[in-house]
Each structure stands twice: as C-alpha cells, then as structure tokens.
Amino acid sequence: DFVFFSGGPRYGNIEDVLKQRGFCRDTMTQVLIGGLRIAPNGRPQDESVNLGLDSQGDAKIANQCAACGKWAGAMAERLERNQVKCATDFYREWRRKMWERHVYDACFTLLG
C-alpha cells in the first residue's frame, strides 16, 4: 500500500504522478498537507482557521489537511492525535481540495 503526500509550493499537485502510474483512485491513500507546519520543537502545529458556520450549520475550516483512500481514517487519526485537523473525503473531493491548494500557492507566490 502507498500513501502519497501533497501540499506546498514544491509538491502541491501530484495528479500527473498518480495518473502516470494509475494511482488516481480510492484504493490508494492521498494526504493533502494544508494547515500544518513543523514547530521548532519538532512537533506538528495546526494552522487551519475556522471561518464560522456555512449555510448548513457546519463549521467551515480553511487550510485544513485532508486525506482520502484506503488508509484515510488512520492518517486522519494520527494527525488529530497531534492536534492537527484532518478531513476524510472521497477522491473527487480530495482532488478538488488539492487543486484549490495548488492554485492558492501559485497565486500567493505570484502576487506576494
């Protein structure tokens, strides 16, 4: 079993790699590292932001880590054990979040 990590300016979009090898599916585990940084003490630190409630009354969280695939629950549990919020999604929702993060990183770098 493989677990693929993406996120940040260098490794934001891993879709080409996944497609070349036929790994774009729910049987593989993909993790999007969004609102996380490594603190000086070596521990992960959550940087996600709660934007309030959406129209359905659910918490709307920006810059949240996300996982999909076979081991998504286990990956989310490990991150949440270290106080890092992680959503578990189906592949299509995870893919949308990966593209959003990729566009954000590109635009933020371009515009400053």
Side-chain angles (χ1 to χ4, degrees):
D1 293 339
F2 291 113
V3 177
F4 298 95
F5 290 88
S6 70
R10 274 184 89 185
Y11 308 107
N13 191 335
I14 61 170
E15 189 168 29
D16 289 339
V17 173
L18 296 175
K19 280 185 177 180
Q20 286 174 356
R21 309 281 193 289
F23 292 148
C24 284
R25 56 184 188 262
D26 279 330
T27 57
M28 297 293 167
T29 303
Q30 293 93 17
V31 180
L32 177 64
I33 303 298
L36 159 67
R37 75 177 184 92
I38 304 300
N41 64 3
R43 308 253 321 149
Q45 186 175 17
D46 189 19
E47 292 188 330
S48 59
V49 178
N50 189 341
L51 299 175
L53 300 177
D54 63 6
S55 60
Q56 297 172 339
D58 296 326
K60 190 171 187 176
I61 299 174
N63 204 24
Q64 182 181 24
C65 295
C68 74
K70 184 176 181 181
W71 301 107
M75 292 303 302
E77 183 180 312
R78 286 184 176 105
L79 288 171
E80 288 172 359
R81 206 178 307 147
N82 288 294
Q83 288 78 41
V84 176
K85 294 178 189 76
C86 183
T88 54
D89 301 313
F90 289 108
Y91 178 75
R92 295 178 90 186
E93 184 68 17
W94 178 87
R95 183 176 178 255
R96 182 186 64 79
K97 289 179 180 181
M98 178 189 62
W99 275 103
E100 284 178 359
R101 180 67 190 194
H102 185 64
V103 169
Y104 170 80
D105 288 336
C107 291
F108 187 78
T109 303
L110 183 66
L111 300 175

